[in-house]
Amino acid sequence: EPEVTQTPSHQVTQMGQEVILRCVPISNHLYFYWYRQILGQKVEFLVSFYNNEISEKSEIFDDQFSVERPDGSNFTLKIRSTKLEDSAMYFCASLGAGELFFGEGSRLTVL
Amino acid sequence: GDSVTQMEGPVTLSEEAFLTINCTYTATGYPSLFWYVQYPGEGLQLLLKATKADDKGSNKGFEATYRKETTSFHLEKGSVQVSDSAVYFCALEDNAGKSTFGDGTTLTVKP
């Protein structure tokens, strides 16, 4: 069964460092998303991406965040200068047949 | 904007007890409704969904009915098992594929 894959599964970084989280969406899907879940809290929408551009973003998705689809398969989330409050689980998702398929998440810990 | 309100947790039940987790929503348009489950240390998994009013989603003994008149999508299971212990998220998805999640309800089932 096709699935969304994310790497790394866990990343520990120092505050102020750049982080890139990678996702490989399901191959025939066209819409991609990043969500964030701070430990013990709800899942929050960050950004949606379609046709090589951002289609919608939340207020969380400020100038420190960017997304890119550098090739035909990867979909990346970059945080330019991490803050302590960026520590969270980041989920990638792609949309197919009206259903969101989530990856298993990348846990980011900012020290 | 869209919002989802879930019954506050945590919920603790004995094995074979009846489960209800309430979920109500506010949305413009006609969203699809979902329940996701998150087992400890894992990502989000789709549990069930309903795409229009009066649809019933079901999976693994869980059921939820899309009630437009009460804007609700309550999750039920007739007899819970220890393995059902997890966090359950109610969510709605708008026409653009963007999902809004509830706060999550932690269910613990004791033998």
Side-chain angles (χ1 to χ4, degrees):
Chain A
E1 186 177 325
E3 58 180 15
V4 175
T5 56
Q6 288 186 241
T7 54
S9 56
H10 188 193
Q11 182 158 357
V12 181
T13 190
Q14 296 291 324
M15 193 169 56
Q17 295 296 304
E18 176 184 284
V19 160
I20 297 176
L21 304 178
R22 291 182 168 79
C23 170
V24 179
I26 294 173
S27 62
N28 61 344
H29 289 183
L30 300 177
Y31 290 83
F32 314 117
Y33 307 81
W34 283 100
Y35 288 82
R36 178 182 83 175
Q37 184 184 29
I38 294 171
L39 186 64
Q41 298 186 24
K42 70 163 57 176
V43 178
E44 302 172 292
F45 169 78
L46 291 179
V47 66
S48 58
F49 191 85
Y50 170 73
N51 200 26
N52 283 322
E53 60 183 32
I54 290 172
S55 48
E56 189 173 353
K57 60 183 180 180
S58 71
E59 59 191 24
I60 302 168
F61 195 88
D62 61 22
D63 292 344
Q64 291 300 311
F65 291 88
S66 63
V67 289
E68 195 176 36
R69 189 159 163 81
D71 53 43
S73 59
N74 288 286
F75 178 51
T76 62
L77 174 69
K78 182 193 289 187
I79 309 174
R80 260 179 271 282
S81 177
T82 50
K83 304 187 284 285
L84 294 177
E85 55 265 37
D86 293 328
S87 294
M89 182 76 92
Y90 289 81
F91 292 103
C92 175
S94 64
L95 182 70
E99 181 178 328
L100 270 181
F101 292 80
F102 284 88
E104 293 201 343
S106 293
R107 179 169 298 284
L108 175 65
T109 302
V110 182
L111 302 177
Chain B
D2 296 346
S3 68
V4 175
T5 302
Q6 270 183 251
M7 169 176 144
E8 287 185 20
V11 174
T12 302
L13 295 173
S14 297
E15 207 164 22
E16 299 183 0
F18 184 86
L19 168 71
T20 300
I21 302 177
N22 289 341
C23 172
T24 57
Y25 67 91
T26 304
T28 54
Y30 303 96
S32 295
L33 302 175
F34 300 81
W35 278 99
Y36 289 90
V37 59
Q38 186 177 34
Y39 297 103
E42 298 186 14
L44 292 167
Q45 298 178 26
L46 177 65
L47 180 60
L48 53 83
K49 69 175 183 180
T51 57
K52 62 184 187 298
D54 299 326
D55 270 2
K56 178 188 282 188
S58 60
N59 186 27
K60 300 181 182 178
F62 291 89
E63 293 184 340
T65 302
Y66 191 142
R67 301 281 188 206
K68 190 179 174 190
E69 64 275 15
T70 54
T71 61
S72 66
F73 193 54
H74 305 321
L75 182 69
E76 296 182 337
K77 186 173 185 182
S79 176
V80 293
Q81 305 300 313
V82 172
S83 56
D84 293 326
S85 297
V87 182
Y88 291 82
F89 291 92
C90 184
L92 67 80
E93 183 183 300
D94 66 18
N95 293 334
K98 174 189 157 189
S99 287
T100 301
F101 287 79
D103 287 343
T105 301
T106 300
L107 170 67
T108 302
V109 180
K110 297 191 170 180

